[in-house]
Amino acid sequence: MPIKKIEAGAPATQSADLVADNIAQLRALFPELVTEGKAGAPAINVDVLKAMVGDATVTDVDEKYGLNWHGKRAARQLALTPSTGTLRPCPEDSVDWDTTQNLMIEGDNLEVLRLLQKSYAGKVKLIYIDPPYNTGKDFVYPDNFHDSIQNYMELTGQVESGRKISSNTEASGRFHTDWLNMIYPRLKIAHSLMRDDGTLFVSIDDGELKGLRCICDEIFGEENFIATVIWEKSYAPRNNAPNFSVSHEYVVVYAKNADSIQVARLDASSEQLARYQNKDNDPRGDWKAGDMTVSLVSGQRGRTYQLTGKGANLYPITTPSGRTVTPPAGRCWVYSEERFQQLAVENRVWWGAGGDNVPSLKRFLGEIEGGQVPQTIWKYDEVGHTQEATKDLKELFSEEKEASFPTPKPIRLISRILDLCTNNLEGDIVLDFFAGSGTTAHAVFQANAQDGGNRRFILVQLPEPLAQPIGEMLSISDVTRERVRRAAGKIRNSGISTSADFGFRAFKLDSSNLNAWSPRRDDLAQSLFDHLDHIVANRSDDDVLYELLLKLGLDLCVPIQSKRIAGKNVQSIGGGVLLACLDEQITVADAEPLALGIVGWHRAQQTAGEATCVFRDSAFENDVAKTNLAAILEQHGIAKVRSL
């Protein structure tokens, strides 16, 4: 069996092709939908699709409810475009490389999210992001997505003639459009990475709240909207504000599947506990009064009230003092008359100290032992504020007096989100692809140290230059990595006894390690010579190995073992799921002992499922060496043999 060569540009060198996957799924369900498009490529017959769903129209340009903007179709296409890039490992920038399960990735988050699709699709439990708020100053975006990897290199100064990173000023005439085009494809891919019981939390302000809601309704489904939380971000008014001093921001919450999520209850705060008293010495303990009326137009989903006709909840009630009361104008009683009488018999109704008030319901403290349902207003004294966030950061960078970072989030805010939507002992993956100063990683470290959890994080941050360097840190991604290092050290040195994972593996986005065929017309002979080795010059075996992990859909923190076999270095990834020998020379004499040694090691590992074995194509002395090695591997059950 010949070894199948993996060429640059082949499907195996790219991230998941969502377009092809979608077409395959449609073809499986409705074969008649798929037809032949340009150059023989598969296409969808829209007229057939409409007929199958009972739509009598024959065009797809009709107006419909939703948000539309210039570039939306291109933004949708960006989310579906496979990536040919890779993530290069940076052990020198990492902490506990060999043992950690956490990731810190430097690069454009759109490209990185594409690359993560094969390895992490359907695995992320929680996504928290704090994207640019589109103030005209803080929004960095690539100007041209024609070649996203090349564009990224130019933006970050890794190649000459670099394009400037620009702010989205209102003078551009595309203020909201540019932001929508930026966020849409990222959220689209993020949706595919989430578990069925996963949740998304997005920090935002009034500027793009409505656009964000519309986009999320489209991507996640309006039925999966959970809440818009109001976060009280400051505790003091700004008297120099032109009209109103803005004291809040929002955290928009969506679920992958609202029926599958379970939001945790919160422990009652001291302020909430103080509201519970026992004014009538009830043997059941402390209680607080709750309203027994509701608006005639109720905003509570899934609950209806009898408002008119026989049995309507508009009946009169006589108080113990003899006064007759009815619901206030525009409201009705929550309970039917029969249910109200039962509550009164059970001493669950409070009439006031004089027995003359409109009735209210006694809610006992003992009934919330399971915790409080989280409310949609988060106060600064509960989850922190912007000044606290700045203080948290400056404490870690105390020796850098010039240290400053725009709009960090407080650790307590992210900790609240972790408490609500992650399980401390299930290895939940937390993704933040606008990592900023690294607050999410800090909060994960802290949560794991406190409750013995094993949550994991994946951070992604663009190496956007800092307005002012902080020590040797020149970019935001430098700050992210350093903040995560220092946060881990601070918690380790705090005296907490824990075996939590305080490390991270660092990676950087780059172009593929595989040489794409790009001949120079003025020197074709030299082009052929340069293409003899399909691995890009100056790329290490580890660079190639981790690209293989990405393209084969393996976790970037999967265990890797090395062994010398027949004088060659062989690596086993994931207990033998992937076997790689990237030595630069394999002779005819090497082929048999190398193949048999790999077979023996593979059997010893008792690998579950099919294994893939990869070699460097230019390493083989000749076709005889390649053919013999492949034949021996196939005879012993390793049929997937590839070369680079």
Side-chain angles (χ1 to χ4, degrees):
M1 178 199 70
I3 296 177
K4 185 176 180 181
K5 189 173 180 181
I6 300 176
E7 300 279 4
T13 69
Q14 300 179 347
S15 60
D17 189 342
L18 296 185
V19 172
D21 291 343
N22 290 340
I23 290 177
Q25 291 182 52
L26 284 172
R27 189 195 298 271
L29 291 172
F30 310 110
E32 61 270 40
L33 284 182
V34 183
T35 184
E36 186 175 292
K38 293 181 180 179
I44 300 299
N45 189 320
V46 177
D47 292 342
V48 173
L49 175 61
K50 289 188 171 184
M52 294 182 68
V53 297
D55 190 337
T57 64
V58 292
T59 66
D60 60 350
V61 296
D62 292 350
E63 294 180 350
K64 63 177 183 178
Y65 176 78
L67 177 65
N68 284 295
W69 67 90
H70 180 71
K72 182 177 182 180
R73 180 173 297 180
R76 184 184 291 112
Q77 191 62 38
L78 280 175
L80 299 173
T81 304
S83 171
T84 56
T86 189
L87 300 178
R88 298 181 66 182
C90 304
E92 67 281 1
D93 292 331
S94 307
V95 176
D96 299 335
W97 174 274
D98 292 329
T99 58
T100 186
Q101 295 290 303
N102 301 313
L103 297 175
M104 163 58 207
I105 304 170
E106 177 182 287
D108 171 51
N109 53 17
L110 176 60
E111 202 67 29
V112 172
L113 288 171
R114 289 168 173 161
L115 288 169
L116 295 178
Q117 286 179 93
K118 283 187 178 179
S119 297
Y120 295 96
K123 296 181 180 179
V124 176
K125 179 63 181 294
L126 169 67
I127 296 177
Y128 169 77
I129 57 172
D130 181 17
Y133 283 5
N134 204 14
T135 63
K137 298 178 182 178
D138 63 351
F139 176 30
V140 176
Y141 61 95
D143 299 312
N144 174 19
F145 288 102
H146 178 67
D147 183 343
S148 51
I149 289 289
Q150 176 69 13
N151 185 61
Y152 165 70
M153 298 298 182
E154 293 180 359
L155 286 172
T156 53
Q158 298 180 54
V159 296
E160 293 184 356
S161 68
R163 189 179 293 106
K164 250 183 113 176
I165 292 179
S166 56
S167 295
N168 185 31
T169 62
E170 293 190 68
S172 72
R174 293 165 55 90
F175 188 71
H176 293 293
T177 294
D178 286 333
W179 190 89
L180 295 169
N181 284 330
M182 180 277 297
I183 201 68
Y184 185 93
R186 288 159 173 82
L187 289 177
K188 186 72 174 176
I189 300 175
H191 179 267
S192 69
L193 295 175
M194 292 170 63
R195 286 169 33 172
D196 193 55
D197 61 347
T199 46
L200 168 76
F201 288 72
V202 185
S203 284
I204 201 68
D205 68 357
D206 284 300
E208 294 295 351
L209 174 63
K210 59 182 181 297
L212 176 66
R213 281 291 314 273
C214 287
I215 283 180
C216 288
D217 281 347
E218 180 171 322
I219 294 174
F220 289 81
E222 191 173 0
E223 68 278 9
N224 291 314
F225 168 72
I226 302 301
T228 297
V229 173
I230 299 172
W231 168 46
E232 188 180 20
K233 67 175 184 176
S234 61
Y235 56 81
R238 289 173 51 246
N239 286 329
N240 60 346
N243 294 303
F244 287 86
S245 176
V246 179
S247 301
H248 71 282
E249 290 179 3
Y250 305 98
V251 182
V252 177
V253 188
Y254 277 80
K256 179 76 172 283
N257 181 348
D259 293 332
S260 298
I261 71 165
Q262 185 172 3
V263 177
R265 302 290 182 98
L266 297 172
D267 292 335
S269 67
S270 57
E271 179 185 351
Q272 291 169 327
L273 291 174
R275 298 173 188 165
Y276 287 85
Q277 301 174 18
N278 196 344
K279 300 176 182 179
D280 60 352
N281 296 317
D282 194 305
R284 290 167 289 190
D286 291 346
W287 52 270
K288 70 174 183 178
D291 192 359
M292 296 188 77
T293 68
V294 68
S295 173
L296 287 171
V297 182
S298 173
Q300 299 186 40
R301 293 182 294 179
R303 187 169 185 178
T304 58
Y305 299 93
Q306 180 92 24
L307 303 180
T308 59
K310 185 178 180 181
N313 296 352
L314 292 171
Y315 51 86
I317 292 176
T318 302
T319 70
S321 66
R323 187 167 72 98
T324 299
V325 295
T326 56
R331 301 181 71 81
C332 67
W333 302 118
V334 173
Y335 303 103
S336 66
E337 189 170 5
E338 181 181 5
R339 175 58 179 155
F340 176 83
Q341 295 300 335
Q342 182 181 353
L343 290 170
V345 170
E346 295 172 356
N347 192 24
R348 294 292 304 268
V349 178
W350 174 245
W351 304 92
D356 196 42
N357 291 358
V358 174
S360 55
L361 181 68
K362 292 165 64 175
R363 302 183 185 277
F364 291 94
L365 180 61
E367 295 173 343
I368 62 163
E369 289 180 353
Q372 290 269 14
V373 173
Q375 296 179 289
T376 54
I377 297 179
W378 293 0
K379 298 183 178 181
Y380 68 79
D381 56 347
E382 297 174 357
V383 297
H385 45 77
T386 53
Q387 292 91 333
E388 178 182 306
T390 301
K391 181 181 177 183
D392 289 340
L393 196 60
K394 286 194 172 184
E395 285 180 353
L396 290 174
F397 294 93
S398 56
E399 69 275 20
E400 285 93 359
K401 294 182 180 179
E402 73 277 18
S404 64
F405 192 88
T407 63
K409 291 297 183 286
I411 299 169
R412 286 197 291 162
L413 176 67
I414 313 303
S415 296
R416 163 68 63 87
I417 294 170
L418 293 175
D419 288 343
L420 292 178
C421 292
T422 63
N423 186 297
N424 64 323
L425 298 177
E426 292 185 356
D428 289 346
I429 297 177
V430 180
L431 170 63
D432 183 349
F433 51 89
F434 287 97
S437 68
T439 307
T440 296
H442 194 157
V444 169
F445 282 159
Q446 187 167 283
N448 286 344
Q450 290 173 346
D451 62 19
N454 57 2
R455 303 171 187 84
R456 304 169 54 187
F457 64 74
I458 301 175
L459 303 186
V460 186
Q461 178 57 47
L462 182 76
E464 178 190 348
L466 290 167
Q468 180 180 354
I470 303 175
E472 297 182 356
M473 293 171 281
L474 305 178
S475 69
I476 293 179
S477 55
D478 289 338
V479 175
T480 312
R481 279 189 296 268
E482 188 60 24
R483 197 258 177 91
V484 177
R485 288 192 199 98
R486 297 190 185 194
K490 180 180 179 181
I491 297 172
R492 275 173 166 157
N493 297 330
S494 66
I496 297 176
S497 178
T498 177
S499 58
D501 178 0
F502 289 115
F504 64 91
R505 287 188 176 186
F507 290 84
K508 291 185 179 180
L509 176 67
D510 209 330
S511 55
S512 175
N513 297 291
L514 303 182
N515 259 325
W517 171 242
S518 180
R520 297 194 302 274
R521 297 189 178 187
D522 58 334
D523 194 350
L524 187 58
Q526 183 62 39
S527 296
L528 289 168
F529 180 79
D530 293 341
H531 202 65
L532 287 176
D533 192 346
H534 294 280
I535 307 298
V536 174
N538 302 319
R539 299 294 176 93
S540 69
D541 287 354
D542 282 346
D543 290 335
V544 177
L545 186 62
Y546 278 94
E547 181 164 2
L548 286 172
L549 262 63
L550 281 171
K551 303 305 167 61
L552 293 174
L554 298 176
D555 193 309
L556 287 175
C557 293
V558 70
I560 299 177
Q561 297 174 282
S562 295
K563 187 175 184 179
R564 296 291 290 181
I565 299 176
K568 312 298 180 186
N569 188 43
V570 180
Q571 291 171 303
S572 173
I573 298 93
V577 173
L578 172 64
L579 297 158
C581 177
L582 300 176
D583 269 42
E584 295 185 358
Q585 185 176 22
I586 300 174
T587 66
V588 174
D590 293 329
E592 184 174 358
L594 178 59
L596 291 175
I598 290 174
V599 168
W601 194 23
H602 178 251
R603 286 177 176 171
Q605 295 177 89
Q606 298 181 337
T607 306
E610 190 176 29
T612 299
C613 201
V614 180
F615 301 89
R616 187 187 293 259
D617 191 73
S618 60
F620 292 102
E621 179 183 17
N622 51 38
D623 287 344
V624 175
K626 184 188 292 189
T627 303
N628 288 352
L629 185 145
I632 295 171
L633 290 173
E634 184 180 19
Q635 287 170 7
H636 292 84
I638 302 178
K640 290 183 69 174
V641 185
R642 303 290 184 263
S643 67
L644 298 170

